[in-house]
Amino acid sequence: MIGACVSALIARAEADNPEAGFGERIAENQRRVFQIAYSVLGNAADAEDVAQEAFLRAYQKIALLREAEKFRAWVNRIVFRLALNRRRGHGRRLTRDTAWQMTETRTMVDGAKDAEQRVMLDRLRREIERLPEKLRNVLQLSLAEEMEAADVGAVLGIPEGTVRSRMHAARKLLLEAMK
Amino acid sequence: MKNSCEKWNDQLLEAALAGTTAKDLEEHLKSCTKCSTELEQARARKTRLDELLPLVARGAEPGADFRARVLAAAVGEKERHRAARWRVWTLAGATAVVVTLLIVGLTLVRRNGPAVPVEELAAAQKLAEWRAPSDSLLATPGQEILKTTPKLGQSYLNVPVKTEE
């Protein structure tokens, strides 16, 4: 009863001032949004830039994105698009291999524990880069936390079944490539 | 793997991913040690892949101050927008005031008309009525006759001439 009253009060406060809940929205989504950008860019600094840009764009549309689910879906889509754009821009200056190497020497933000695992992870990233674009997009999106097939499908505008079949095809290609 | 075993390659990968083997592949594995080894290796690679894939992105975290930075940038953005909006409104207001003043000024000037001094008006009137002195000297008794055209058979000499005497 009290919980419902508090929720109603928060909803009313947010309706009066739509920007009030923005900090909370960042806290709820920042990890996943950053990971989506990171899985595409493989670089923590670029991923943070892109994630920040996505949140700033969401802030401009905060009045339309009051519902948490709407906000989540919107920000997933926008960060993925921004990350792809950033990668295309990078592609003109650097090859992806060089970019990964730079990341490895500059920041160690991923979960690799030892040198061998790091080498394997590096190789895996290169193999992911070589996947066909459709398969790569599905795989990279699904690598972020809390990204179920439905969420990936919503970002790419494809059905859940297609996401699963592309995911399977991507894993099969990686299994073959990692020989 | 023998060349003849290449046709099993796809099924071996499927078996490694799914964890189950199809009946025909199972039969083949009983008689082919190379394919059995290949399947074991593929299963080991699959386990490794399952360990590594989450690490590609999931270990990654934004900086501790990420939220604060985004909020600060959002506030900055809002201030910039507000300032830009004020600039636009100020410019629009100033333009409106200038245009209104111009319209009011022009209307007043038109309504009152230009103030011409009385002396100038009198001088202009005098100039319009002025006749050259030679006009009266050039006047002749035949002037009226010359204004008319004689009919056929008539002569200027027959036209009666008015004389004042």
Side-chain angles (χ1 to χ4, degrees):
Chain A
M1 180 70 183
I2 294 170
C5 285
V6 170
S7 303
L9 279 174
I10 291 171
R12 217 172 105 187
E14 284 198 8
D16 291 342
N17 181 15
E19 293 151 19
F22 185 60
E24 203 179 318
R25 293 274 178 274
I26 298 174
E28 287 164 3
N29 293 281
Q30 63 174 13
R31 205 174 148 86
R32 190 190 60 262
V33 164
F34 174 80
Q35 286 179 357
I36 291 174
Y38 185 77
S39 71
V40 174
L41 296 163
N43 175 313
D46 282 349
E48 277 206 9
D49 272 1
V50 165
Q52 179 169 328
E53 171 79 27
F55 279 119
L56 287 180
R57 290 197 185 189
Y59 180 72
Q60 285 160 12
K61 291 183 182 286
I62 193 75
L64 301 170
L65 304 169
R66 267 184 218 158
E67 291 165 41
E69 269 311 301
K70 229 179 215 177
F71 188 94
R72 179 189 150 93
W74 192 89
V75 86
N76 282 349
R77 210 164 36 240
I78 204 74
V79 77
F80 185 62
R81 220 171 54 201
L82 288 173
L84 287 181
N85 286 348
R86 173 74 66 105
R87 190 174 63 184
R88 279 184 204 120
H90 271 203
R92 292 182 205 115
R93 297 192 298 272
L94 296 165
T95 64
R96 290 295 301 154
D97 287 357
T98 322
W100 283 118
Q101 279 166 14
M102 281 171 68
T103 309
E104 293 311 311
T105 52
R106 200 172 56 197
T107 44
M108 308 271 273
V109 293
D110 57 41
K113 288 175 198 144
D114 50 45
E116 192 207 335
Q117 198 176 46
R118 187 157 291 285
V119 170
M120 288 296 288
L121 201 55
D122 229 10
R123 192 178 156 205
L124 177 60
R125 282 172 173 157
R126 281 197 298 272
E127 294 302 340
I128 291 173
E129 286 303 312
R130 289 195 188 104
L131 287 175
E133 193 182 359
K134 281 181 180 178
L135 304 186
R136 189 176 62 229
N137 286 347
V138 167
L139 185 74
Q140 284 175 332
L141 276 168
S142 61
L143 289 179
E145 279 172 24
E146 302 165 4
M147 285 297 281
E148 302 300 327
D151 300 312
V152 175
V155 171
L156 297 173
I158 53 174
E160 271 184 64
T162 312
V163 171
R164 289 204 183 89
S165 66
R166 284 186 190 175
M167 191 66 192
H168 181 78
R171 285 165 65 83
K172 203 164 143 185
L173 283 176
L174 286 178
L175 203 60
E176 175 73 9
M178 294 293 278
K179 266 184 183 174
Chain B
M1 204 188 298
K2 295 172 206 163
N3 279 346
S4 59
C5 290
E6 271 180 16
K7 65 174 181 179
W8 297 105
N9 195 26
D10 191 63
Q11 282 205 46
L12 284 171
L13 290 175
E14 287 290 347
L17 282 173
T20 54
T21 42
K23 242 180 183 177
D24 51 347
L25 178 64
E26 217 166 309
E27 285 299 314
H28 173 70
L29 289 175
K30 281 177 189 166
S31 59
C32 183
T33 49
K34 284 208 170 182
C35 283
S36 298
T37 314
E38 178 64 25
L39 179 59
E40 270 174 38
Q41 285 173 353
R43 280 182 176 149
R45 283 204 308 278
K46 191 248 176 192
T47 310
R48 192 86 175 125
L49 194 64
D50 287 345
E51 284 169 11
L52 286 173
L53 270 176
L55 300 181
V56 171
R58 286 188 195 178
E61 295 243 16
D65 59 344
F66 178 76
R67 184 182 165 193
R69 273 189 287 128
V70 174
L71 282 173
V75 170
E77 188 90 349
K78 190 179 170 186
E79 289 302 317
R80 259 199 308 279
H81 270 277
R82 192 176 288 168
R85 212 167 35 228
W86 267 107
R87 266 200 303 277
V88 169
W89 279 112
T90 311
L91 195 67
T95 311
V97 167
V98 168
V99 169
T100 311
L101 284 176
L102 272 174
I103 290 170
V104 168
L106 281 173
T107 312
L108 284 174
V109 166
R110 277 194 164 193
R111 189 176 289 171
N112 295 337
V116 183
V118 180
E119 296 80 27
E120 268 184 42
L121 268 177
Q125 184 77 23
K126 214 171 170 184
L127 192 66
E129 287 169 359
W130 182 82
R131 294 284 176 272
S134 56
D135 282 359
S136 56
L137 293 174
L138 288 172
T140 60
Q143 232 169 1
E144 288 301 317
I145 303 168
L146 291 173
K147 282 181 188 171
T148 61
T149 309
K151 289 175 188 164
L152 194 64
Q154 275 188 333
S155 155
Y156 280 115
L157 296 174
N158 296 333
V159 176
V161 176
K162 272 202 282 181
T163 54
E164 287 189 5
E165 291 157 22

